[in-house]
Amino acid sequence: MRRGAGEKRAAAYTNPRSRRKKPIIIGIVAAVLLIAAIAVGVAVTLGKHKSTTAAKDSSTSSGDSASNPTTSGSPASGKIAAVTGSDGSTVTASDGSTFVYTNPFSGTWYWDPSDPYNNAARPQSWSPALNETFNYGVDKIRGVNLGGWLVTEPFIVPALYQTMQQRSTTTGTIIDEWTLVEAMQADTANGGLSQLEDHYKTFITEQDFAQIAAAGLNFVRIPLGYWAIEVLAGESFLPKTSWTYFLKAVQWARKYGLRINLDLHALPGSQNGWNHSGRLGSYNVMYGPMGIANAERSLNYIRMLAEFISQPEYRDVIAMFGVTNEPQGNSIGLSNLQTYYFAAYNAVRTASGTGAGNGPMVSFHDGFIGLDQWSGYLPNADRASLDSHPYLCFQGQSTNPISSYLTTPCDVWGGSFNNTMGNFGFIVAGEFSNAVTDCGLYVNGVNQGVRYEGTYISDGPWPTLGNCTTDWLDYQNWSPATKKSYITFAKASMDALQNWFFWTWKVGNSTAGIVEAPHWSYQLGLQNDWMPTDPRAAVGQCNNANPFTGTLSAWQTGGAGAGSIPSSVQSQLAWPPAVISFPGSASSAATLLPGYTQTGPLMTLPTATLTASASATATGATTAGSGWFNSADSAGMWEPIATCSYLDPWIGSSVAPPSPLCTGGTVRRGDMARQRAVEARVTATPTRRR
Ligand SMILES: *[C@@H]1O[C@H](CO)[C@@H](O)[C@H](O)[C@H]1NC(C)=O
Ligand SMILES: *[C@@H]1O[C@H](CO)[C@@H](O)[C@H](O)[C@H]1NC(C)=O
Ligand SMILES: *[C@@H]1O[C@H](CO)[C@@H](O)[C@H](O)[C@H]1NC(C)=O
Ligand SMILES: *[C@@H]1O[C@H](CO)[C@@H](O)[C@H](O)[C@H]1NC(C)=O
Ligand SMILES: CC(=O)N[C@H]1CO[C@H](CO)[C@@H](O)[C@@H]1O
């Protein structure tokens, strides 16, 4: 979620801790296999091999084999659990518990532990099963974000932040995941960093995926921070752990027929300086003296993710890959952002190959630069899409009730989204919400104030318009008419945006035991009758007499011509850009900034420990894969140049690049030794292959 474009960060939060300038070096450490550490806890509590034949319903056994009938019996009863079912069937969850699958839209779940890559599940009768083609532009993406889960945010999980703040004696205000992690590390009495993993275990569970399918939704967008992959010394994040939970999410999505849009939400150095990038403060990707280096380090991670999700075991589930959430496009500049995106696109397509079915749709966030500016970007790109996050709540505020906004989404977004489908190609709203004001606990971050109440600390003055609690947040007392207005507003947003992900599925309680940002929770809206129970009801809400009807160019959906980007376009976008601009630069030529070189050993992401039986054929996949799809993708990883100096990746933009940039390298070698020593303690390196 963005703040208003161009806002300055609060002075109080600039450079919150004094940090030594410390060259940080991508560690080169012996390979450490982490398979054991990432074991995905798929509970295989069932005693025997079962049929892999999909039954329409658990109550009607497919019975392909008399000795291994598919039944709906629970494991506890000694019977064999069903591998599939529809509305009313009993599901055995991956933790061994059972629950009743409720899906009014004729969705079917599918889970056979002996065939764990089977993609037969379907979220609703009208959405393609995972083993069928999703026709972008024709089939609608109706999704939710799983915000606040693997990338925490104060406003989505306020109790986590409040509790740590109450306990914290050694740190200042906990404002982002970085400071949360520091506080947890100090809180050894309560388990230290395991408290963050406890949050991963509890905030989103398998039942959420079943509920999302039952809500008529067919996609989830899952924000992931780079720390899922690797954390270097001096960076306060929990390393690698969230990756384990992402792998669980993949299996749960598969089980309930949901497709995933993997959203790389937080990059090293931060791509936007906002709290939800992991660290509130400066931004350092394509901006500032470490802007090139951080982008190159990010390209390593993008490539590792792309190689992983392009494997046949994963590619039909992880159908989209948002390579970078909300970069500060207006500071970076359109052309440099496009150059960076092209490098990311190349990393993905080199991993996946081109053509429909080969790897994900790539998604580029618009960088808050007008949608029209993207017209014509990357002609012939194979399955590239644009991501935009329209919000009404972070601009001027108003006391007008929600009933006065019923056509606003149609008026302000409908035309531009519709036009973009024609002049760029596929566009998705990766985020939107039901909020029309910035009311809600921590919606602007911790201690940032609220525009509506006149207390917002940036970009004032903001007049006091009223009281958020009584005017907007008191959802327990909303009238039926107010709830109806929210449903209408949500439907108008959905119809205007066409393909969308609500931000977010769930908002946790504050320590007061209530949800204090109700406009941001799809689940709470369903529970309290202010979200549409069937999102298809949104179709036609805007009365768009002439909507985009879905004829994307063949190349945009992986058909003829896909991937044949003209060489003149490619050379314009060659990596690295010649010049990047930022306030502290003595000179902005990219050659005068720290950068990396592609000589590092390959790093792969660990796979889950799911093993299919030899007879499993659904995806042709009987193993969890190696983590790396394309063995011909063998260029080195970006790594430091032995003779060059580097700054702290989080240094900020007001610092000049190291001078001289590259010397005999003595300083750096000493630092690399230190880096290795510290890193070995902080985090094991990802698996290296070569
Ligand atoms: C998808 O899976 C179902 C159940 O196994 C199967 O009947 C169907 O043929 C599959 N569809 C495709 C396109 O492979
Ligand atoms: C808003 O109203 C609530 C409930 O009456 C009250 O508790 C709260 O203090 C008020 N907030 C402000 C900022 O005046
Ligand atoms: C939030 O608090 C309410 C009680 O106020 C409780 O019923 C509910 O279960 C809590 N939700 C979560 C997710 O803990
Ligand atoms: C939507 O786009 C189509 C072309 O793709 C155009 O014909 C139509 O007029 C547009 N509708 C609106 C309401 O902008
Ligand atoms: C200061 C800051 O970064 N605030 C952001 C924290 O996250 C919320 C929710 O995503 C944003 O709305 C704020 O702008």
Side-chain angles (χ1 to χ4, degrees):
M1 191 208 318
R2 65 171 303 194
R3 298 180 300 156
E7 285 173 20
K8 285 154 216 76
R9 277 162 300 290
Y13 289 136
T14 305
N15 199 8
R17 278 153 307 285
S18 83
R19 295 166 52 81
R20 273 170 302 142
K21 270 168 103 171
K22 179 166 46 177
I24 302 282
I25 292 157
I26 293 183
I28 302 167
V29 184
V32 180
L33 288 175
L34 290 167
I35 303 300
I38 59 87
V40 169
V42 176
V44 183
T45 54
L46 314 173
K48 296 173 74 180
H49 171 73
K50 286 150 306 307
S51 161
T52 57
T53 303
K56 269 277 181 258
D57 187 287
S58 62
S59 60
T60 50
S61 163
S62 65
D64 70 321
S65 150
S67 60
N68 286 329
T70 300
T71 77
S72 59
S74 80
S77 72
K79 290 188 196 160
I80 294 160
V83 299
T84 186
S86 55
D87 190 33
S89 60
T90 298
V91 181
T92 302
S94 60
D95 65 2
S97 65
T98 58
F99 64 91
V100 174
Y101 174 80
T102 304
N103 185 311
F105 303 123
S106 302
T108 50
W109 59 273
Y110 193 103
W111 178 247
D112 179 353
S114 67
D115 187 13
Y117 303 102
N118 191 307
N119 290 329
R122 169 194 305 283
Q124 303 89 26
S125 59
W126 67 81
S127 290
L130 295 175
N131 67 0
E132 296 171 347
T133 301
F134 194 93
N135 289 311
Y136 293 99
V138 178
D139 296 320
K140 295 241 180 315
I141 294 180
R142 299 186 172 107
V144 281
N145 284 273
L146 299 182
W149 184 36
L150 304 180
V151 176
T152 67
E153 291 194 36
F155 98 103
I156 305 176
V157 287
L160 190 66
Y161 278 75
Q162 291 169 316
T163 303
M164 289 314 305
Q165 186 68 61
Q166 285 158 12
R167 288 202 203 124
S168 172
T169 49
T170 54
T171 58
T173 310
I174 300 172
I175 52 173
D176 53 19
E177 187 150 329
W178 183 296
T179 46
L180 183 77
V181 161
E182 287 182 336
M184 284 180 170
Q185 273 167 332
D187 184 27
T188 51
N190 292 293
L193 269 181
S194 71
Q195 296 174 93
L196 190 50
E197 187 167 0
D198 290 343
H199 160 72
Y200 297 158
K201 284 179 185 159
T202 54
F203 186 61
I204 296 289
T205 67
E206 180 174 334
Q207 296 210 27
D208 289 294
F209 287 77
Q211 288 175 22
I212 289 166
L217 306 169
N218 54 16
F219 255 88
V220 287
R221 180 170 177 264
I222 304 185
L224 194 70
Y226 80 89
W227 49 88
I229 302 170
E230 180 181 58
V231 173
L232 296 186
E235 296 176 338
S236 291
F237 293 112
L238 175 61
K240 299 166 193 289
T241 314
S242 57
W243 178 249
T244 305
Y245 290 83
F246 178 73
L247 293 179
K248 288 179 194 282
V250 173
Q251 290 309 104
W252 293 334
R254 195 195 303 276
K255 186 167 178 177
Y256 299 99
L258 298 169
R259 286 172 169 81
I260 292 174
N261 176 359
L262 168 56
D263 156 38
L264 187 54
H265 210 76
L267 267 43
S270 176
Q271 74 280 20
N272 55 39
W274 290 323
N275 50 2
H276 49 76
S277 71
R279 192 174 191 202
L280 177 59
S282 58
Y283 44 96
N284 296 277
V285 178
M286 298 302 286
Y287 194 73
M290 286 294 283
I292 296 278
N294 284 329
E296 289 172 343
R297 185 177 159 199
S298 300
L299 289 169
N300 280 349
Y301 301 147
I302 289 167
R303 181 178 172 204
M304 292 168 75
L305 291 167
E307 281 288 355
F308 191 95
I309 67 178
S310 296
Q311 298 177 101
E313 296 86 352
Y314 301 95
R315 63 189 173 199
D316 294 332
V317 180
I318 306 158
M320 292 188 86
F321 181 16
V323 290
T324 296
N325 181 63
E326 298 192 350
Q328 291 283 6
N330 288 298
S331 297
I332 294 167
L334 179 64
S335 111
N336 280 353
L337 185 58
Q338 293 186 335
T339 297
Y340 166 71
Y341 280 163
F342 184 54
Y345 166 89
N346 281 330
V348 176
R349 289 281 90 99
T350 301
S352 70
T354 51
N358 292 324
M361 169 79 80
V362 181
S363 170
F364 303 126
H365 181 264
D366 65 12
F368 312 110
I369 299 171
L371 293 180
D372 285 352
Q373 301 284 308
W374 294 90
S375 173
Y377 176 55
L378 278 193
N380 289 357
D382 176 25
R383 291 165 297 150
S385 60
L386 201 56
D387 174 20
S388 194
H389 298 173
Y391 287 116
L392 296 176
C393 57
F394 297 119
Q395 296 98 37
Q397 306 290 302
S398 163
T399 56
N400 292 342
I402 189 65
S403 57
S404 66
Y405 289 89
L406 303 187
T407 63
T408 307
C410 309
D411 302 339
V412 299
W413 302 328
S416 65
F417 271 66
N418 182 63
N419 290 341
T420 302
M421 291 288 274
N423 68 22
F424 168 84
F426 194 53
I427 177 167
V428 178
E431 301 183 9
F432 73 102
S433 80
N434 265 351
V436 295
T437 72
D438 67 343
C439 289
L441 181 66
Y442 303 152
V443 161
N444 296 312
V446 176
N447 293 354
Q448 300 282 321
V450 181
R451 293 174 184 81
Y452 188 83
E453 294 188 342
T455 57
Y456 190 54
I457 62 178
S458 306
D459 290 354
W462 294 95
T464 302
L465 297 185
N467 179 319
C468 280
T469 309
T470 51
D471 296 357
W472 293 99
L473 303 178
D474 187 18
Y475 74 84
Q476 298 91 337
N477 294 314
W478 285 350
S479 69
T482 297
K483 293 181 179 186
K484 195 159 171 263
S485 290
Y486 277 111
I487 290 176
T488 305
F489 178 75
K491 289 197 304 190
S493 300
M494 293 167 180
D495 198 37
L497 302 173
Q498 299 287 315
N499 293 281
W500 46 262
F501 294 85
F502 189 87
W503 186 276
T504 182
W505 169 242
K506 179 187 278 186
V507 172
N509 283 340
S510 68
T511 48
I514 46 173
V515 173
E516 299 199 46
H519 301 90
W520 301 84
S521 176
Y522 204 106
Q523 188 190 48
L524 193 69
L526 288 174
Q527 289 164 347
N528 292 278
D529 306 320
W530 78 75
M531 282 301 277
T533 51
D534 182 348
R536 289 176 304 172
V539 173
Q541 185 67 39
C542 286
N543 290 317
N544 180 348
N546 191 10
F548 183 86
T549 46
T551 328
L552 294 167
S553 308
W555 52 269
Q556 292 171 333
T557 54
S564 307
I565 297 171
S567 56
S568 59
V569 173
Q570 298 201 33
S571 52
Q572 274 163 27
L573 297 172
W575 185 264
V579 168
I580 74 172
S581 306
F582 56 92
S585 66
S587 165
S588 50
T591 49
L592 298 178
L593 300 177
Y596 296 137
T597 184
Q598 282 188 286
T599 55
L602 296 186
M603 306 189 294
T604 61
L605 279 159
T607 55
T609 54
L610 296 167
T611 312
S613 72
S615 62
T617 54
T619 58
T622 56
T623 72
S626 68
W628 195 270
F629 175 59
N630 180 10
S631 58
D633 179 10
S634 58
M637 289 281 172
W638 293 101
E639 65 166 358
I641 300 166
T643 54
C644 297
S645 299
Y646 297 88
L647 301 170
D648 182 333
W650 309 82
I651 192 83
S653 59
S654 58
V655 176
S659 179
L661 189 56
C662 298
T663 64
T666 44
V667 171
R668 191 183 157 280
R669 270 200 288 274
D671 283 327
M672 186 185 278
R674 187 181 63 183
Q675 174 78 11
R676 277 201 191 111
V678 179
E679 184 179 312
R681 187 164 48 77
V682 173
T683 167
T685 43
T687 307
R688 311 272 168 158
R689 38 187 329 271
R690 174 164 268 181

